[in-house]
Amino acid sequence: MKKLLLLLLIIIIWYTNLVKAQPGKTSITKWQYDRTGAVSITWDDGSINQFKVALPILNRLQLKSTFFIITGQIPGSQYHGRFIGRPVKDIINETATVPTNKTNFYERASAAGYLGLIGPLDYHYQAGSLIDAGKPNEAYKVIDDCYSKVRKGEFKPGIQHNTEYTDAHGTTWADIKKYAAQGHEFASHMITHPRLAALDETNMLYELEKSRLDVLHHLGVRYTFSAEGPFGTENERVVAYASKIYPALRNRMPEPWLKEISRSNPATPGNTNKEYVQFQRGATTQTPLPVMKSWVDTTLNRKDTWLVLTHHGVDGIGWEALSHQELDEYFTYIKNHENKLWVASFGDVAKYMRERQSAKVQSIIKSGTVTVTISHPLNKTMYNLPLTLKTYLPANWKSAIITQGNTSKTTQVATDALGTYVLYQAYPNSIPVILISR
Ligand SMILES: [Zn+2]
């Protein structure tokens, strides 16, 4: 009997040691600061109350967010809406004899907003939304209808802009620079807020590339990381072009390790074998605050979820405008869970996940010193976000002095089921991190 008990004791000790982590063992935590999930508050269109009303709320709560801005309407931008192609007169004349089809549709839909008439721009939007919905034949009919009216002289002459474009009036690059310095991300939402899926290659690339150039010129390369094609388009042709120009689109982020739930998809994160879930939700005026809060709760109750909130109007200006009272209460709710949620810009969360998924971490422990190196093969200009590392330490360490380059910090150890560990921030592709006992 005694022998049996002894054997059992040996097995227990052996097993306990087996499940303990080896000192030096280092991993990148799933989310920054070892939080449970991530939240990105994003804004489309740059309507003026986003800056006058919502931004001060975010600053008061010290939350950083992402603004997708329409660059063509900002004073001082080099690039403005235009049609690149044949003289529009030739296009109009041709519509009299050649019905709209697969070949000529994109040229006609691209030119519609630039005929010098009030009205055809609406047909551009309608046709684009039909392309987005996978109904090309209906889109061709809309364009036929538009040009038939053009030929009959049914539209008044004039310059027409869409509402998103005009609602954004009032912001300057100087203002935007100031907000960016406060820690917010700014990113392209194109020059004129077009239906990209209805544009031909030349005009689509003009919107994508030249909008990026104005952002680059006025804000710098860091702000050319993210972008959002208007109307949340998931059109494959658009995404193929846009993802060559911008590393991270809010529209689509095809990654083998990411489950995507777009804002038009009513699904909840559910079961998945993917490492991460991007859970996009866009509150409208019809969305009760408890529902908006439940998205945060869903994120809190999982470990793999990145909640991406898409906001538009504020206090009567912009699409589906929410009130400042509602936004204040909602953002305060998010802020109150910041100990568990990493609230960061769209670009920073995308960078964190990609850096973590591609990084290699190595650690060696030698005469009381742990040396950790972290590197990844991604573009080093864009992917330079520090990551949170978790290193297990010998059980007798009480705190650790953690040094990477010129930065040194003393951190208390913590314990979990696997042993004693420390959490710290480290820059990838830099010099090794040195941990010593204190
Ligand atoms: Zn938009």
Side-chain angles (χ1 to χ4, degrees), residues 141-156:
K141 271 187 212 139
V142 166
I143 289 299
D144 273 339
D145 186 24
C146 171
Y147 280 90
S148 148
K149 287 179 177 162
V150 169
R151 294 194 311 271
K152 287 180 197 154
E154 291 184 20
F155 298 114
K156 279 188 198 144

Side-chain angles (χ1 to χ4, degrees), residues 39 63 157 160 217 359:
V39 179
L63 297 174
Q160 186 183 5
H217 176 71

Side-chain angles (χ1 to χ4, degrees), residues 44-46 68 70 164 189 193 228-232 250 263 312:
D44 288 13
D45 311 333
F68 294 102
I70 303 165
E164 284 85 357
H189 198 35
H193 202 272
E228 162 73 1
F231 306 98
R250 206 195 60 204
R263 64 179 149 123
H312 290 82

